[in-house]
Amino acid sequence: MKKLRCHSCGIELPKGSLKYILEIRSFADFDGYLEEYDGDIEEGINDLLDAMESTDPKAIEDDVSKEQIFILCKSCRDKFINDPFQSGKAEVDGDEVKGTIH
Ligand SMILES: [Zn+2]
């Protein structure tokens, strides 16, 4: 069996050791604002459809929503939870930044 390693620091995580699963789900937010479209809307939609046809459906899907799973050791998990992007900033209030989250 392949040995498990922490995705962050690379430390080996032997069977039975304490490890954490980190699931990240990122998805495109929509704040209800649409930029005014300059030009023929029908033409614009056709251009968009053409562009989508020549793009890998998986890439479009990834643009909208993506889920990733990582395995972390306790120390990396604690570090991540306290400051996910190592920015030194406090987390934002989700209700303030989310647009039309259902
Ligand atoms: Zn680690």
Side-chain angles (χ1 to χ4, degrees):
M1 206 183 104
K2 222 180 101 189
K3 282 185 177 144
L4 279 180
R5 286 183 180 279
C6 169
H7 269 92
S8 180
C9 69
I11 196 174
E12 211 174 282
L13 298 165
K15 247 187 172 174
S17 67
L18 183 60
K19 50 190 172 292
Y20 292 85
I21 307 289
L22 174 69
E23 285 184 333
I24 298 186
R25 180 168 170 244
S26 59
F27 50 98
D29 191 19
F30 177 55
D31 60 9
Y33 179 76
L34 286 175
E35 238 177 289
E36 219 171 291
Y37 187 71
D38 240 5
D40 188 349
I41 290 196
E42 206 169 311
E43 213 172 279
I45 289 174
N46 282 334
D47 286 352
L48 184 64
L49 289 176
D50 283 350
M52 279 173 79
E53 244 170 62
S54 53
T55 309
D56 177 13
K58 185 86 183 93
I60 297 176
E61 200 185 302
D62 283 356
D63 269 0
V64 176
S65 172
K66 193 168 174 68
E67 281 181 48
Q68 291 155 286
I69 292 178
F70 301 95
I71 295 170
L72 297 177
C73 69
K74 172 151 174 44
S75 132
C76 290
R77 179 266 196 179
D78 289 349
K79 261 192 258 171
F80 181 85
I81 291 301
N82 289 327
D83 189 0
F85 306 110
Q86 302 299 303
S87 65
K89 291 182 203 138
E91 60 184 306
V92 293
D93 182 351
D95 290 338
E96 269 176 35
V97 290
K98 280 180 183 174
T100 50
I101 302 301
H102 333 282

